[in-house]
Structures are given as C-alpha cells and as structure tokens.
Amino acid sequence: NAGVMQNPRHLVRRRGQEARLRCSPMKGHSHVYWYRQLPEEGLKFMVYLQKENIIDESGMPKERFSAEFPKEGPSILRIQQVVRGDSAAYFCASSSGQGNEQYFGPGTRLTVT
Amino acid sequence: GQQLNQSPQSMFIQEGEDVSMNCTSSSIFNTWLWYKQDPGEGPVLLIALYKAGELTSNGRLTAQFGITRKDSFLNISASIPSDVGIYFCAGRLETNAGKSTFGDGTTLTVKP
C-alpha cells in the first residue's frame, strides 16, 4: 500500500516563474492537507481540500497561491510568480476523514533563485 | 491564532539516557500528536492522544495529554542512536476542519 507521494522532490525556479507541486494521497484517502516548513521551524498549515472542494484555506497567502484536488488525479499546489521568500519545504498529508490520522508525504523542496 | 511552545529547542544526550520534551499552548486542543522528522523526509506520526489525562506508550516512547488540554509531553526511554531527529508536537481542534498546529520542534542528538 503506497504512502503519500509528492513530486517533484526538489524544484528550482527563478524569480517570476511558476511552481507546480503535486501530491497523490494514500489509496482510499480523499482528504488532503498542504503545509509549508521553513528551515528550523515547524509545519504551518496552508489549505485543506476534499475531492473538488476547498474546505479551509485560512493558511494560504491571499495572492499567487492556489490549490486544487480534482475528481481525478493528484492535488496540485500552484505558486505563481515565485519570490525568494517562497523557498521552503512543502508537505502534503492525507487522511481518510476529517478527524482521522494524517499521513505525510516526503515533501517538495522549492528553491527560488 | 493558536501557537504551540515546544521545549527544549535542542537536546544533546548520551546513548541510554532518557529524554523528555513538552509542548504548551495558551488555548486548548482536542487532540495532541507527536511526530518525528528525519532529514529530507516528512513527519512520521509517533503517538496520538485524544482524551485529557490520557497516557499512551509506543515502545520506548510515552506521551501524555495534559489535564488542562493545554499541554503534552513526550518521553523517550533508553535512547539509541536512531532516535536522532526532530520531534514535533501538534495540536488539533475538531472545529478547525482537521488542520494541525505544529510546534517548532525539538532537535535530538544522541551520542553513542
């Protein structure tokens, strides 16, 4: 039973480019959460999605960031016009229900040059 | 917003020693979680606590959910080199639609 998969594991973008991060939840999980981690800090919640719906996006920056979880395919976290401050590790977690355990993927490390 | 204060920030111990770390919050949580993160990987859930006062063990790890619901601790007994990593506490409120609030982590170094 494969765990949460994220790709790419490492992503380098120049300032102004777009970054697309993908997350495939565990089999049978329909709830996805995105977190951001800066060096030497804990994970900060960004957004919670169920299939085709955004449930809570209270942690998402108001501009340039968007997330989706379509009926088919992985969840996508999209960052437009990246800036140096977007450099971080982005983790996806999935669960089988809102109050159930969240299992984390290995993360995507975004570096903006 | 809710914040968790996790301490200590880092620990350097000798193999075989016991370790204790804790988290406190100014607001209550319904669930406390403890994770371990290895370099370059995502957090792995160690222990989940669901009731105030609950004491739960997982091998050499023991964690407790504080009676006030505003704190939790994690103990590791007889540490071994593979315990090295960053340990995070996280709290969750059911009304927060499942999102977890994380502490800033305790970095554990174990000297053989």
Side-chain angles (χ1 to χ4, degrees):
Chain A
N1 190 13
V4 177
M5 298 175 68
Q6 290 186 250
N7 68 81
R9 293 291 305 271
H10 300 274
L11 183 61
V12 179
R13 285 285 178 267
R14 282 200 284 271
R15 276 181 298 170
Q17 291 184 319
E18 178 181 287
R20 289 170 72 89
L21 287 61
R22 294 174 191 77
C23 169
S24 296
M26 282 179 70
K27 189 175 179 182
H29 286 189
S30 59
H31 298 245
V32 164
Y33 312 79
W34 285 93
Y35 293 82
R36 176 164 62 179
Q37 185 180 36
L38 294 171
E40 299 187 15
E41 291 189 10
L43 282 71
K44 299 289 190 284
F45 170 81
M46 299 180 74
V47 62
Y48 164 35
L49 311 104
Q50 281 182 265
K51 283 286 187 180
E52 299 185 277
N53 289 307
I54 295 175
I55 306 302
D56 181 352
E57 57 182 347
S58 58
M60 286 280 269
K62 294 284 185 275
E63 295 175 350
R64 302 187 298 108
F65 285 71
S66 62
E68 62 175 8
F69 189 15
K71 190 176 178 182
E72 301 290 336
S75 175
I76 306 283
L77 179 68
R78 185 177 172 215
I79 312 173
Q80 294 177 291
Q81 297 175 310
V82 296
V83 301
R84 289 232 171 93
D86 297 332
S87 296
Y90 292 82
F91 290 96
C92 165
S94 74
S95 71
S96 56
Q98 180 174 310
N100 297 350
E101 301 318 322
Q102 296 175 19
Y103 294 86
F104 283 84
T108 293
R109 276 142 192 87
L110 172 66
T111 302
V112 179
T113 61
Chain B
Q2 294 166 318
Q3 280 193 310
L4 292 185
N5 296 309
Q6 187 171 349
S7 66
Q9 191 173 2
S10 59
M11 301 183 77
F12 295 83
I13 62 169
Q14 206 72 36
E15 183 177 359
E17 289 183 353
D18 297 344
V19 167
S20 186
M21 57 193 80
N22 69 82
C23 262
T24 59
S25 170
S26 56
S27 51
I28 63 172
F29 288 103
N30 298 125
T31 302
W32 281 94
L33 307 155
W34 284 94
Y35 291 87
K36 179 175 183 258
Q37 185 178 28
D38 291 328
E41 298 296 331
V44 173
L45 182 64
L46 299 173
I47 292 181
L49 303 155
Y50 301 103
K51 280 171 38 177
E54 180 181 354
L55 184 72
T56 297
S57 291
N58 178 8
R60 293 179 295 107
L61 277 60
T62 302
Q64 183 155 34
F65 190 145
I67 287 289
T68 64
R69 295 202 286 161
K70 291 183 179 181
D71 63 306
S72 177
F73 72 74
L74 174 72
N75 285 346
I76 306 173
S77 62
S79 58
I80 58 179
S82 62
D83 290 334
V84 163
I86 305 176
Y87 292 80
F88 289 100
C89 63
R92 210 160 66 200
L93 262 181
E94 282 148 17
T95 51
N96 279 0
K99 75 181 184 190
S100 296
T101 300
F102 279 77
D104 283 341
T106 295
T107 301
L108 179 64
T109 302
V110 179
K111 290 179 274 189

